[in-house]
Amino acid sequence: MFPRRASLCALAVSLCFAPIEALVPIALAQEREELEALRQTTVRLIELLVKEGILSQQRADELVKQARQPVPVASADAKPGVPPVRVQYVPEIVRQQLRDEIRQEVLATAKKEGWVAPNILPDWVNRITFEGDIRLRSQSEFYPDDNDPLFQPLNVIQSNQQGRPVFPAATPDRQRLRARVRLGATAQITDQWQTGIRIATGSSTEPVSQNQTFGENFNRYTIGLDRAFLSYRPAERVEIVGGRMANPFFSTDLMFANDLSVDGVMVRYQPASTTMGFAPLANIGAFPVQEVSASSGGDKWMFAGQAGVQWRSEGFRARVAGALYDYQNLEGRPNTVGSTANNFTAPGFTQKGNSIFNINSADPTAAVLYGYASEFRIANLNAELDWAFMGSTRVVLSADYVRNLGFDQQEIRNRTGLDISPQIDGYRLGISVGHSRMSRAHDWQVFTTYKRVERDAVVDAFTDSDFRLGGTNAKGFTLGGSYGFANNLWLTVRWLSANGIDAPIVASLPNVPPKFGADVLQVDLNARF
């Protein structure tokens, strides 16, 4: 690319000192003026190419020096006996044709390569970048033969304000075709300010999944605003973000589902991608989970902080971080007879697994409404080792551990009347080998994880939605692989096998089944643009 641009410069410069064929006595004042004008034009062109970064300053100085050398022109008082200086005479029509041809070639090259095109596009266009992806999925769900039959009333009892069942029914095996589509834009407002938005498919009442299931009578998909944020960088490695954003914490799907975005404000300190050796990292933020009426005074929040260290050397990267996620007002509170004052404590969304109780149990005539039995204040330790052992092929080892420090057996007994044993730990171990990002044809990756997440280890609403079809109180493994068929086009196959750990805790309900397992096969065709 560079030699071609430089050749254009050389062609322009050569017009300044090509020989002109003419006899010495011929007056060439007009030619001298035209050559001087052409020389000045060439100098300006060279200066422009330096400004655009196409030519080095040293090379440009050499060209300018040549361009400014005087052109030998015959004078009327040439000395007798001295051979006349011959310079080539270029007719005006030829010179105009050369200028037009050079101009067209330069503009065509500039348009094709995008290296010099002033005033063609407005400035704001160059400050916006777009990205998107689409995923088509075939999902098969298999229920083991030894699943315990569910007590029928559980299929109709509402567990939360959206009316979702407490547990899924052990239905016959299920086959679904699904799609996920996302489109985002990021705009650089100033050197320090940035904004971004993204739209995505998915239900407006299910924050952990952006999948859209086929088979809704050919109806249109639901599209929602998945991200909308402003970002400010007061220093090189410090970022302040407000709005709806991607999960800002170093975490896995043990804590938060991959499709989950969060609302709030946060401050982040991240080392530069080129920083070698040890470097600190930190995140702190406040995130509203559910806003309720002012009279109740029970807005639900997640306050979170994370601190860790990153170590990087040639071919290696390691990260270790500890975090605390403190949820406020998430636990259920019982209503008194005839009152609905604490209805807001029922979760706005749940999956399954956490211990729950009927907050209207004091009033037999009131509708059943469930709330969380435990409070949640979750400590999390996360570690990852990334090793590039063969070119772009990488081995990534990860370990994630959580413990719910907010579980208080005596406090739960006083508030709910339930005597619940603590099951408050969870962990996830994973390994992947291959390319970290499917970008080119023949990129590949294989991966496996083992996960065990006890009943009240994390908030079941926000954890992975695929493992045992969502929620907690689950253990099992994931195995899969990806292969790139073309640039930004790849296939992923994933098998998830999980069973329940113990009987769910649901107050005042008999015959709660001790076991519910589900195996899931996902075949994804992914495209990124």
Side-chain angles (χ1 to χ4, degrees), residues 186-267:
T186 303
Q188 195 70 39
I189 303 173
T190 69
D191 290 341
Q192 294 178 303
W193 285 91
Q194 187 182 75
T195 185
I197 60 172
R198 187 173 79 173
I199 57 175
T201 53
S203 169
S204 61
T205 59
E206 191 172 356
V208 291
S209 175
Q210 296 166 347
N211 292 308
Q212 181 77 42
T213 300
F214 293 177
E216 296 291 338
N217 298 306
F218 302 133
N219 208 346
R220 288 174 290 276
Y221 293 169
T222 300
I223 298 291
L225 187 61
D226 183 50
R227 292 180 190 170
F229 65 87
L230 275 171
S231 167
Y232 173 63
R233 291 186 177 272
E236 182 181 359
R237 297 179 178 88
V238 179
E239 183 180 20
I240 304 171
V241 185
R244 182 165 178 80
M245 68 195 81
N247 168 26
F249 297 98
F250 171 37
S251 62
T252 71
D253 59 15
L254 177 67
M255 187 74 200
F256 298 117
N258 293 328
D259 280 352
L260 181 70
S261 296
V262 296
D263 310 319
V265 60
M266 57 85 61
V267 180

